[in-house]
Amino acid sequence: MVEPRSLPKVYRPLGARMVSAVSAAVLTAVVVFLWLMLPGRVQDQFDWFQRGTLLLFFLVVLFVLYGVFRTRVAVSDHGLSVTNGYRSHDFVWAQVVAISLSRHRPWASLDLADGSTRAVMALQTADGPRAIASAQEIAALILRRTRTERDT
């Protein structure tokens, strides 16, 4: 297993970030284009409530796409910080047991010392070898940072 050369290091999903960024840009362009293509008399038929509803729906979709875009896992000398959408979880190295990335799951899973697991959406199987290499780097860090006297 290969460790990253320097810490801190941040891992982000490539495919999900590209899809969310492109989707947000295309959605914005389509909404603006369609609104501008409507004749003025049709635009005038929309009352403020209808316009507000359309704008709110548009903003909710952008909010969800941004949540996918900001997904990450950061490793430092102190531990890991996992951000999935709008929730962040910080773990010191002593709390982390292992990380696994299986082709049968969409993203990696972090095994914790209390017996629970936490999804690591930043490492997605759709990213292929890139995600595998990232998971191996984090696994090497976990192995080195959580080693006890019993392990030697």
Side-chain angles (χ1 to χ4, degrees):
M1 290 187 224
V2 179
E3 281 188 42
R5 295 189 185 272
S6 64
L7 295 179
K9 185 167 182 180
V10 177
Y11 300 90
R12 301 177 188 273
L14 179 63
R17 283 174 59 91
M18 288 175 47
V19 167
S20 62
V22 169
S23 296
V26 168
L27 178 64
T28 302
V30 166
V31 167
V32 170
F33 175 77
L34 290 175
W35 181 256
L36 294 176
M37 294 307 297
L38 287 174
R41 62 178 164 56
V42 175
Q43 289 180 4
D44 292 341
Q45 291 178 353
F46 284 83
D47 63 24
W48 288 109
F49 180 75
Q50 291 169 324
R51 290 178 188 202
T53 302
L54 288 172
L55 182 61
L56 180 64
F57 177 74
F58 174 67
L59 292 175
V60 166
V61 171
L62 289 180
F63 183 77
V64 170
L65 290 172
Y66 182 66
V68 172
F69 186 82
R70 69 188 305 267
T71 299
R72 71 190 197 112
V73 61
V75 293
S76 68
D77 289 328
H78 305 292
L80 290 111
S81 177
V82 177
T83 302
N84 295 330
Y86 289 97
R87 294 194 83 183
S88 293
H89 305 278
D90 296 321
F91 305 103
V92 295
W93 288 114
Q95 292 177 281
V96 182
V97 174
I99 190 167
S100 60
L101 180 66
S102 167
R103 63 185 173 109
H104 302 292
R105 289 187 306 220
W107 43 72
S109 179
L110 199 61
D111 296 326
L112 303 174
D114 65 2
S116 65
T117 60
R118 181 72 56 198
V120 181
M121 294 172 62
L123 304 178
Q124 300 187 359
T125 54
D127 286 339
R130 181 177 189 270
I132 293 169
S134 297
Q136 288 174 342
E137 286 180 9
I138 294 172
L141 279 170
I142 292 169
L143 186 63
R144 190 172 64 112
R145 304 278 176 153
T146 61
R147 181 169 286 159
T148 64
E149 292 177 9
R150 290 181 296 151
D151 298 330
T152 56

